Amino acid sequence: MEEKKVVLSSEHVSQFFPIKNGFGQVVNYVKAVDGVTLELHEGETYGLVGETGCGKSTLGRTLIRLLEPTEGNVVLNGEDISHLSEKEMRKYRKEVQMVFQDPYTSLNPRQKVGDILMEVLEIHGVKDKDERMEIAMKMLAKVGLRPEHFYRYPHEFSGGQRQRVGLARALILNPKVIICDEPVSALDVSIQAQIINLLQDLQKEDKLSYLFIAHDMSVVKYISDRIGVMYLGHLMEEAETEELFSNTLHPYAQALLSAVPNANPHEEKQRIVLEGDLPSPINPPTGCVFHTRCPYAKAICSEKIPVLKSVNEKHKVACLLYDKDLNPDAE
Amino acid sequence: MSKEEILEVKNLSTTFRTERGDLKAIDGVSFEVYKGEILGVVGESGCGKSVTSQSILRLYDEKYTAKYDGEILLDGKNIFDIPLKKMQEIRGAKISMVFQDALSSLNPVLKIGDQIMEPLRIHQKLGKKEARERTLEMLRLVGIPAPDKRIDQYPHELSGGMRQRVMIAIALACRPQLLIADEPTTALDVTIQAQIMDLIVDLNKKLDMGVILITHDLAVVAETCSRVVVMYLGQIVEEADVNDIFDNPKHPYTLGLIKSIPRLDGDPNERLYMIKGTVPLLNQIPNGCRFAPRCPYATDKCRTNMPELKAVSPTQKVRCWMVEE
């Protein structure tokens, strides 16, 4: 098999947020992302799923270096960008851009759409105003907006159009990677379909790579080539889309997928209901973070920390049930 | 099999008075709800789903903002004939409602026990001790673990799923005939959503009440509802059994909605269907069929004449000229 080019990767990335007491002393940490390793290949869509609070958005923000990782490295095109300063980061910003969830709050209400787009170009060194305008106009056409929209304010647009503006802003610097943080979850189904189709068209045109963060499984399944499942800051399972759905290995991923409703009234589904609530990321459980809710948990699960290991070339899982090295009783 | 009708909505219209003139948010909506069924109401934002449900409880201020027309029959009596003060005897007792955002719908400074007790004390005039007993029973019914501990907690101490369970407990405390659930799971994760929907389906059977489930999520509808009403711009465009809606949709809007969602068992290489354009504003309602400007099959007749909601089979009604010909 041909080796795929890795454009962006994280190596054991952790993101801990300090909790301070009244005297400003750090008393504990919120372990939002804990040792996540993943690779994003050129031209692929990597879906990142998990429940609220599992750290998927934090990971996205760390990969784009809105946050500096507490531990581990973020590597872009072979260069380590994890601890660069704001100034040094600037030349890499062109490469990785982000589309946010809420199209209503991620655009400045006091700037016209044209200015929103041209500001990006100005910062990144396009000096000539006419040139900036020309590029911005082209971008508007590319995302399916009309030239007159250049002179309008964000409030004059519908949700779907605003998300198109957000996309135009992300694309205007010709990035290689776009991190999409729940780009369609605030939109109606008919608009959602328009944006998803647009994302796919743009990907084909420019060989873009997407990190697609979402909680809607059917959308993620539709758009992704590979999917990673996160739980409490850890990556539990990673596989190619078809493989993940046909051969789900991790008990958490099994429960998550079984909860997804399908738009087919004839289908009877067996749901796996998880006991209890999500543990706090301040004091995550010892061993495997999922063992407190896992229906198959054994004594060893609370002692040893599972690592993400390949079960075949398309599939990785972090679970002691499948790891013979750490757990002699594994299948 | 004869079904017992709980609620009949007849030709309901709700008009809001605004600075820009009167806006008719709902225009001539009619449907029935039967005992023991879950009726799904679907449509995009701004199509009048929530206005319909809130009109059933007369929640809009009739003096200044809203004007209702038509009839809503509960036990054969028109709700609009009841004096406003007496509406309190219906809200929470005969018809109750669960809202989308449980955190902002619960009172943050009252213990959840007190909030569940309130309707019992008001409607059923129970004493404190009895009400507390019933509250514990309700908490158990909606599946809250350790109810005797939870009863004295405040909403902020509970997770999102728990809060929604408390909302359901409040709504069902007086054993209403009809529960209106307005996007009850939109703010929740899929695993929690599955639990809450299972709970609603389970209680619907156990308590033999009617449920109106308002949602934009067709997958949830497919898994829980027995009948579906599809709304567009304040009108019903299609009404049918859930199987007919998914297998044999007759209205182009219904078809468009179903085709535009990615399905778990669908083909990822197939492009998603797009309904062109967006829902128009209420002050720009098109002539003729309201869906005509976005409809791929629209003819000149569609753009000038409004079709009626007509029965195509005993269980399916459609508002479209194509079906009539």
Side-chain angles (χ1 to χ4, degrees), chain A residues 50-53 56 158 164 185 187-198 200-201 204 215-219 221-223 242 245 252 255-267 269 271 273-274 276-277 293, chain B residues 43-46 49 150 159 162 186-195 197-198 216-220 222-223 242-243 246-247 257-258 260-279 294:
Chain A
E51 291 173 276
T52 314
K56 53 191 194 301
S158 67
R164 284 174 197 267
S185 43
L187 306 173
D188 268 320
V189 282
S190 64
I191 312 298
Q192 176 178 306
Q194 294 172 8
I195 298 292
I196 291 174
N197 283 343
L198 177 64
Q200 292 197 316
D201 292 344
K204 269 181 215 141
H215 66 264
D216 186 335
M217 277 294 183
S218 22
V219 172
K221 182 177 182 205
Y222 178 76
I223 201 169
E242 281 306 316
F245 278 83
Y252 175 67
L256 188 67
L257 294 189
S258 81
V260 180
N262 193 7
N264 181 355
H266 306 295
E267 198 181 72
K269 258 215 303 232
R271 270 197 196 121
V273 177
L274 292 177
D277 285 326
R293 301 172 75 194
Chain B
E44 292 173 278
S45 317
K49 312 184 290 276
R150 295 287 184 189
S159 67
M162 286 290 168
T186 310
L188 303 173
D189 275 317
V190 274
T191 49
I192 314 292
Q193 164 173 301
Q195 290 171 18
M197 286 325 301
D198 284 350
H216 65 267
D217 191 337
L218 285 166
V220 167
E223 294 210 335
V242 68
N243 292 342
F246 284 92
D247 299 342
L257 280 184
I258 290 168
S260 64
I261 48 168
R263 287 167 73 141
L264 280 183
D265 47 10
D267 178 5
N269 297 321
E270 206 174 297
R271 263 176 88 79
L272 289 178
Y273 178 79
M274 295 188 273
I275 303 176
K276 63 178 179 185
T278 48
V279 183
R294 303 178 71 191

Side-chain angles (χ1 to χ4, degrees), chain B residues 276 285-307 321:
Chain B
K276 63 178 179 185
I285 288 179
N287 287 329
C289 172
R290 292 183 174 188
F291 187 60
R294 303 178 71 191
C295 180
Y297 312 106
T299 60
D300 287 339
K301 188 179 184 188
C302 300
R303 291 183 199 101
T304 48
N305 297 322
M306 165 89 77
W321 288 119

Side-chain angles (χ1 to χ4, degrees), chain B residues 82-303:
Chain B
I82 300 170
L84 255 186
K85 275 195 177 152
K86 293 240 168 180
M87 271 309 288
Q88 293 295 1
E89 292 169 18
I90 290 174
R91 292 178 191 145
K94 288 182 174 166
I95 306 175
S96 55
M97 192 152 175
V98 175
F99 297 91
Q100 173 175 353
D101 188 353
L103 184 59
S104 57
S105 312
L106 289 169
N107 188 335
V109 296
L110 281 184
K111 290 173 186 165
I112 59 154
D114 294 335
Q115 298 190 49
I116 301 172
M117 262 179 251
E118 194 181 350
L120 290 168
R121 310 248 306 160
I122 292 170
H123 292 301
Q124 305 197 339
K125 315 253 178 326
L126 294 182
K128 254 190 185 156
K129 225 175 159 186
E130 252 177 305
R132 198 177 163 89
E133 279 301 303
R134 281 285 294 282
T135 301
L136 284 171
E137 193 187 307
M138 285 314 297
L139 286 175
R140 246 169 269 154
L141 186 73
V142 296
I144 290 183
D148 25 343
K149 192 181 119 210
R150 295 287 184 189
I151 192 169
D152 292 316
Q153 287 189 325
Y154 291 93
H156 73 263
E157 295 175 80
L158 306 179
S159 67
M162 286 290 168
R163 282 182 209 133
Q164 201 54 277
R165 284 176 196 264
V166 170
M167 288 291 294
I168 293 172
I170 295 173
L172 299 183
C174 297
R175 299 289 149 93
Q177 296 160 286
L178 180 69
L179 174 72
I180 301 174
D182 191 351
E183 307 259 10
T185 57
T186 310
L188 303 173
D189 275 317
V190 274
T191 49
I192 314 292
Q193 164 173 301
Q195 290 171 18
I196 297 290
M197 286 325 301
D198 284 350
L199 176 70
I200 290 177
V201 170
D202 185 43
L203 292 175
N204 165 256
K205 280 189 200 128
K206 231 187 238 170
L207 308 179
D208 200 25
M209 57 179 179
V211 175
I212 300 179
L213 177 72
I214 294 167
T215 179
H216 65 267
D217 191 337
L218 285 166
V220 167
V221 167
E223 294 210 335
T224 51
C225 298
S226 42
R227 258 179 346 119
V228 185
V229 164
V230 183
M231 288 187 74
Y232 183 75
L233 261 187
Q235 291 180 327
I236 293 179
V237 294
E238 184 157 4
E239 180 188 331
D241 284 343
V242 68
N243 292 342
D244 286 331
I245 284 283
F246 284 92
D247 299 342
N248 187 17
K250 291 270 201 287
H251 197 282
Y253 181 62
T254 316
L255 187 67
L257 280 184
I258 290 168
K259 283 206 294 189
S260 64
I261 48 168
R263 287 167 73 141
L264 280 183
D265 47 10
D267 178 5
N269 297 321
E270 206 174 297
R271 263 176 88 79
L272 289 178
Y273 178 79
M274 295 188 273
I275 303 176
K276 63 178 179 185
T278 48
V279 183
L281 296 175
L282 279 175
N283 53 6
Q284 297 162 357
I285 288 179
N287 287 329
C289 172
R290 292 183 174 188
F291 187 60
R294 303 178 71 191
C295 180
Y297 312 106
T299 60
D300 287 339
K301 188 179 184 188
C302 300
R303 291 183 199 101

Side-chain angles (χ1 to χ4, degrees), chain A residues 108-151:
Chain A
N108 185 344
R110 300 178 64 166
Q111 263 186 322
K112 287 177 189 154
V113 164
D115 295 331
I116 290 175
L117 297 178
M118 293 202 308
E119 187 184 23
V120 184
L121 292 170
E122 196 178 345
I123 290 169
H124 286 276
V126 183
K127 294 276 182 289
D128 181 35
K129 196 169 180 214
D130 292 337
E131 194 188 337
R132 288 204 296 264
M133 188 157 165
E134 202 189 309
I135 300 175
M137 283 293 194
K138 264 191 202 148
M139 212 58 237
L140 281 181
K142 200 168 178 180
V143 298
L145 294 170
R146 288 193 298 275
E148 68 258 33
H149 291 145
F150 190 85
Y151 300 102

